[in-house]
Each structure stands twice: as structure tokens, then as C-alpha cells.
Amino acid sequence: MSLAAHLTRPPKGPRRGRRLRRPGPPGPYTLLPWLLLGLGAFSNLWQGETPNPWIGALGLLAFNSLYVSVVFRGFDRHKRDSPTSYRLLVAMGAITFSLAIGYGGNWLLFFPLLSLACGTILRGRWLGAGLITLALCASAVAAWRGDHPSESWTIGYGTFISGAVTAAILTLSETVMELRATRQELARSAVEQERLRFSRDLHDLLGHTLSVIVVKSEAARRLAPHDLDAALEQVDDIESVGRQALTEIREAVTGYREGSLSTELERARSVLTAAGIEPVIRRSGPPLEPGTETLLGWVAREAVTNAVRHSGATRCVFTVGSTPDQVHLTVTDDGAGPVDSGATVGGTGLKGLAERLAAVGGSLESGPGADGGFTVEARLPHDTAYRGPRAAEAECG
């Protein structure tokens, strides 16, 4: 199965037919129930145990309103980093200190709520410094008031841990969402790469095959009036080429086609001879690695296609050799070059091959030869590991 099919196929088993829903990050509503910490202060107001109850009520209303506003802004990255969010947080801090110092007791529990709000807004070193400072201040105010049933250090610890845990959970959730987005982008990129590979393979296959069919059809037409047997032999070759093309296209569609330089050179000999071009193949050096064979086979195929379609050459020379570091394939013809140089020098076939070779540390150069004609030269490392369709599929699944 090709990479594109692997990435886009529907899930198997009981998951098919229903949409999978992954848990998302917590929302601002998850922090609203913590306002219940202020019920003690509200109870004091209701029972008339708070002096100046109107001031306390207004302070309680202002604190709750600011808390809700700050928490909702903290879940929006653009609003969270805006100056308005910091101004609201400062106002919330001023109200918290005023109520805690003025009333003490249950009003000290607004410090953990202020810390929760800080955990949604502050990040980085500002978060650590802010939470430590707030926790120390909460402990100091609780110790100074001395009217809360809990120890002063407990108020400070609860203040610090509330903001720290909130910030840690939100940061982790944001990281998870970014990783999911990155994974989706990588999957989309993999599908695009697979589509690009398929389009290149199909271009090379059809361009070469159709060129061969045209050449052999012309040869059969020329031979038919004079030598029927030779013309029928060309027709048989056309049938063989067509059948082979069908097989290769099926293999390209399923993602399992891997070429071979040796096979392509033998095909080149037959195609060039039928086109009236003398093929000369010079090969030296040790056997090539499978990845190198595959890529150089594509280069040979594209060079033959260009020579038959564009060059008008009478001789085409293939030279395969190696140095201690590289393997090279040079294809040179003695033609006049392509009629439309853009179609060959910068065309889809050679341009796509240049990208393939560059991806594995190789290079592809093409252009007019030093003595005329046209030259295509490919260079690859000895240990080229061509990541073809099979390798991509194995890695994904």
C-alpha cells in the first residue's frame, strides 16, 4: 500500500463509521468552580459578620468579575499577552490585598484564586517570580492577621501550588495541541510528497513508453512496403512495450516500482537502435548499491526519452564509472540539442530527477556538450539509500 493510501485510509474495526474525538485542552470554564472558595467570605457578608458590608460586597463582586475576565483571556493566546490582561491582573491583586488585609479570615482564600489567575496569564520567569512573591505575601498577611484557622504557611503553600499547577497543566495542554498540529502537518506533507513521487514516476513512465511506441511505429511504417517480416517484428515490439508499460504503471500506482540501471541500459539499446541512433554503453567499476541502481536507472530512462524525442542524434554514449567517493552516469549524444531547450534543460523530467538526486546527496547536470550535442551527468554517493515507496511505507506503518 502506498504512503498516501496508508495515511488516508479509514480506521479499521469498530472505529469505522464514527468520528474519533480526542480530548482537548481544558477550557476556562474548568477554573470557574474554584470561585466556591469565596463562599466563606460571602457567608460572612450574609450573616453580617463583616464590617462595612457594602465595601465587602462591592469588593467581592469586583474580584469575581475580574477573575472571570482574566481566566477567559488567559485561554486566548493573543489576549493573554496583551497589556490589558496584565492591567486586569494588577487590579485583581490590589483588590485581593485590600480585602485580605482589611477583613482577614475567610477573605485570605482569595490569594489562591489570584494565584490561579496568575497561572493562566504569566509564563516563563515572570510566572516563577510572581508566584513566589505572591505566596510570601499571602503568608505574611495571614501571619499578621492571625485569624484564619489554617497556619499562615498553609495559605502561602496553597497560593503557590494553585498557580503552579494551573500553569503546568495549561502549558502541557498547549504543547500537546501544538504536537497534534505538527503531526497533522507532517502527515499532509507526506501525502504531498507521495503525490509528487507518483506524478514524477508517471511522467517518466508515460513519456518514455510513448516515445518508444512512436519510434517503433515509424519504423514499422517505413519497413512495411519493403520488408513485411521486419515491420511485423516492430509491431510485436510495440505490443511488448505496451504490455510492459501497463505493468509498470500498475506498479507505479501501487508504489512498488523500483527501476534498475542494467535493465534501463538494455532497453535503451533496443529503443535507440529502433530510432536509428547508435547506442554505445561503457560500464566499469564494482556493482552498484540497489538505491544507486534505482536512481541512475531513472536518469538513463529520461536521457533516452530526450534523445529520441528532441536530439536528432545519430549516436548516444552511456558511460558508467566511479571514483572512491562517487558513482557517475554520463549520457552524451551528438545531436543538435532539444528544439525547445526549456522542455529538456528545465523540464519536468530532468528537474524532478535533479530534486531526487539532491535529496540523497547527489547532483544532476544537463546542457549542451563541449563538442556539441547534449549531455546529462548524474553523480551519487556509493552508499545511496534511496527512500522509495517501500521504505516510506515501512516507516509509516
Side-chain angles (χ1 to χ4, degrees), residues 318-393:
F318 297 79
T319 304
V320 183
S322 63
T323 64
D325 299 325
Q326 290 183 324
V327 179
H328 63 84
L329 167 65
T330 304
V331 184
T332 305
D333 62 57
D334 60 354
V339 176
D340 180 5
S341 60
T344 303
V345 178
T348 305
L350 291 178
K351 185 182 297 183
L353 287 173
E355 293 173 356
R356 289 189 184 187
L357 269 62
V360 294
S363 63
L364 179 69
E365 298 178 359
S366 59
D371 300 325
F374 195 76
T375 300
V376 177
E377 184 174 11
R379 295 183 177 275
L380 285 171
H382 278 285
D383 56 348
T384 300
Y386 173 53
R387 294 178 52 77
R390 294 183 182 179
E393 180 179 349

Side-chain angles (χ1 to χ4, degrees), residues 212 215-216 219 222 234 237 268-277:
V212 173
V215 169
K216 289 189 172 291
R222 290 196 307 266
Q234 295 296 328
D237 289 344
R269 190 190 302 275
S270 173
V271 172
L272 293 173
T273 300
I277 303 174

Side-chain angles (χ1 to χ4, degrees), residues 206-218 234 237-238 241 267 270-271 274 304-305 308-309:
L206 291 179
H208 177 80
T209 302
L210 293 177
S211 297
V212 173
I213 291 175
V214 169
V215 169
K216 289 189 172 291
S217 298
E218 292 175 349
Q234 295 296 328
D237 289 344
I238 293 174
V241 169
R267 291 178 180 172
S270 173
V271 172
V304 170
T305 302
V308 171
R309 295 173 60 184

Side-chain angles (χ1 to χ4, degrees), residues 75-329:
F75 281 81
D76 187 322
R77 180 168 298 184
H78 298 290
K79 293 182 178 180
R80 183 180 68 198
D81 298 331
S82 67
T84 302
S85 298
Y86 293 100
R87 295 191 188 101
L88 293 175
L89 197 60
V90 170
M92 189 177 171
I95 294 175
T96 301
F97 276 91
S98 300
L99 294 176
I101 294 174
Y103 295 126
N106 290 327
W107 297 82
L108 293 171
L109 295 179
F110 286 121
F111 277 113
L113 288 175
L114 175 61
S115 180
L116 282 171
C118 290
T120 63
I121 298 295
L122 301 180
R123 292 293 182 269
R125 56 185 179 181
W126 287 104
L127 175 65
L131 293 183
I132 292 175
T133 302
L134 184 59
L136 293 176
C137 291
S139 296
V141 173
W144 177 71
R145 290 290 307 186
D147 56 355
H148 193 274
S150 301
E151 298 290 340
S152 59
W153 67 269
T154 305
I155 298 295
Y157 173 77
T159 299
F160 176 81
I161 202 67
S162 298
V165 171
T166 300
I169 292 176
L170 294 184
T171 301
L172 180 61
S173 299
E174 292 172 357
T175 303
V176 169
M177 294 302 295
E178 291 176 357
L179 289 175
R180 288 181 181 174
T182 302
R183 181 181 180 183
Q184 292 175 355
E185 178 63 22
L186 289 175
R188 185 189 64 80
S189 177
V191 172
E192 290 182 353
Q193 291 295 325
E194 175 70 359
R195 289 173 178 170
L196 180 60
R197 179 203 65 81
F198 176 76
S199 65
R200 288 173 177 170
D201 287 1
L202 201 59
H203 168 273
D204 295 341
L205 284 171
L206 291 179
H208 177 80
T209 302
L210 293 177
S211 297
V212 173
I213 291 175
V214 169
V215 169
K216 289 189 172 291
S217 298
E218 292 175 349
R221 179 173 52 81
R222 290 196 307 266
L223 293 171
H226 312 291
D227 191 343
L228 184 58
D229 292 336
L232 291 176
E233 184 178 347
Q234 295 296 328
V235 172
D236 290 340
D237 289 344
I238 293 174
E239 182 182 359
S240 299
V241 169
R243 293 183 183 277
Q244 181 64 27
L246 288 175
T247 301
E248 291 177 347
I249 289 175
R250 292 191 189 100
E251 292 174 348
V253 169
T254 55
Y256 284 96
R257 184 180 188 277
E258 295 185 2
S260 166
L261 178 60
S262 301
T263 302
E264 296 301 336
L265 290 178
E266 289 301 319
R267 291 178 180 172
R269 190 190 302 275
S270 173
V271 172
L272 293 173
T273 300
I277 303 174
E278 178 189 0
V280 178
I281 299 176
R282 300 167 181 164
R283 186 165 186 174
S284 61
L288 305 180
E289 295 292 332
T292 306
E293 279 269 343
T294 299
L295 288 172
L296 292 184
W298 281 108
V299 174
R301 171 182 283 260
E302 183 64 24
V304 170
T305 302
N306 287 339
V308 171
R309 295 173 60 184
H310 305 299
S311 70
T314 60
R315 192 167 187 263
C316 188
V317 180
F318 297 79
T319 304
V320 183
S322 63
T323 64
D325 299 325
Q326 290 183 324
V327 179
H328 63 84
L329 167 65

